[in-house]
Amino acid sequence: MKVKLIAFDVNGTLFDDTQIFWEAINGIFPKYGKERLPLKTLQEKFGQPWTNIYREFGITKAMASDDELYRIYNQLYESQSSPIPTPSLKETLDWLESKGLLLAIVSTQQNTITIPLLEKCGLVQKFLEISGSASDKAVALKNIMAAFDFLPEQVAYIGDQEGDMKHAKKAGCVSIAFCGGLHDQERLKKMNPDFIIESMPELTRLPIF
């Protein structure tokens, strides 16, 4: 059975914003009197839900709610230079559309950031569903399946973190690991995704469409 809908993560997948993302995530610590983490530690510890990393290093919920952490993240992310789309993204999306695939987004990032970025790049109209602030991506993927009446094997999810692969597998859909973002290939391989790609054009060569 061929895939009919493909859903994308945002940070490190649709957008080449890894440095911007790390700066925003790490910049939250000093707001609460904590030291920034060394990049290696940040890369090793970071996962979903992403607010857990602050709890682990001493920023309690009494000090800052998850909503407050999101608010500060949004400020820090938007205060930096605007990210650019991942190389060859538009051409890849155009190809997928030409094959009749439906496109969606499932991301923990809030739509208040994602949608303006997509609009700026002229890409927002390509996505039928933009599911932001998804704390449980498996649930969001299942909701999309239900909305479009697709079976799990007819849906693929592409993301750059091991958590993305966990959620894709939990939802029962095809898991595609993208090595151009936050987690390296070695870490992603451990999740046993259905496919691993290093660039967006490789997506068009997968035997699932």
Side-chain angles (χ1 to χ4, degrees):
M1 187 173 292
K2 298 297 183 181
V3 166
K4 295 184 177 181
L5 181 147
I6 181 165
F8 292 80
D9 177 45
V10 174
N11 302 115
T13 304
L14 285 180
F15 285 92
D16 186 10
D17 66 348
T18 300
Q19 290 304 120
I20 296 171
F21 181 81
W22 282 139
E23 183 62 28
I25 291 294
N26 220 358
I28 292 175
F29 289 103
K31 302 288 185 182
Y32 296 94
K34 307 296 182 181
E35 295 286 336
R36 289 172 178 256
L37 297 182
L39 182 57
K40 183 175 177 59
T41 301
L42 194 62
Q43 290 171 327
E44 291 174 349
K45 293 285 187 178
F46 186 83
Q48 298 297 342
W50 64 265
T51 50
N52 282 354
I53 196 169
Y54 303 107
R55 310 311 180 198
E56 181 177 350
F57 288 92
I59 302 176
T60 66
K61 288 186 177 181
M63 295 169 65
S65 66
D66 286 359
D67 286 344
E68 179 66 6
L69 294 174
Y70 271 109
R71 185 188 67 79
I72 297 172
Y73 165 81
N74 289 350
Q75 289 180 340
L76 293 171
Y77 186 96
E78 294 179 307
S79 69
Q80 302 177 73
S81 58
S82 185
I84 60 174
T86 294
S88 301
L89 176 63
K90 184 179 184 305
E91 293 81 359
T92 301
L93 298 180
D94 287 344
W95 184 91
L96 293 170
E97 283 187 316
S98 75
K99 297 299 180 182
L101 270 84
L102 303 181
L103 307 178
I105 289 173
V106 173
S107 173
T108 57
Q109 182 156 271
Q110 296 180 343
N111 284 350
T112 54
I113 292 180
T114 298
I115 290 176
L117 288 176
L118 292 170
E119 288 175 338
K120 183 176 181 179
C121 301
L123 297 175
V124 69
Q125 72 282 359
K126 292 189 174 294
F127 298 95
L128 292 180
E129 175 72 26
I130 301 177
S131 182
S133 303
S135 58
D136 190 326
K137 293 183 178 182
V139 171
L141 287 166
K142 289 178 180 179
N143 288 341
I144 289 174
M145 293 173 200
F148 291 96
D149 196 25
F150 287 152
L151 297 172
E153 56 265 35
Q154 293 176 307
V155 175
Y157 186 56
I158 175 171
D160 64 310
Q161 297 182 51
E162 61 178 15
D164 295 327
M165 300 303 99
K166 289 180 182 177
H167 285 291
K169 289 176 177 294
K170 186 177 178 182
C173 62
V174 177
S175 55
I176 304 172
F178 179 62
C179 298
L182 302 184
H183 291 163
D184 59 24
Q185 186 172 125
E186 181 180 356
R187 186 169 176 180
L188 290 169
K189 275 185 177 180
K190 292 178 181 178
M191 301 309 301
N192 296 313
D194 294 308
F195 301 96
I196 297 178
I197 62 173
E198 295 185 358
S199 68
M200 278 295 162
E202 289 180 44
L203 189 59
T204 67
R205 298 192 285 273
L206 298 182
I208 58 176
F209 304 123

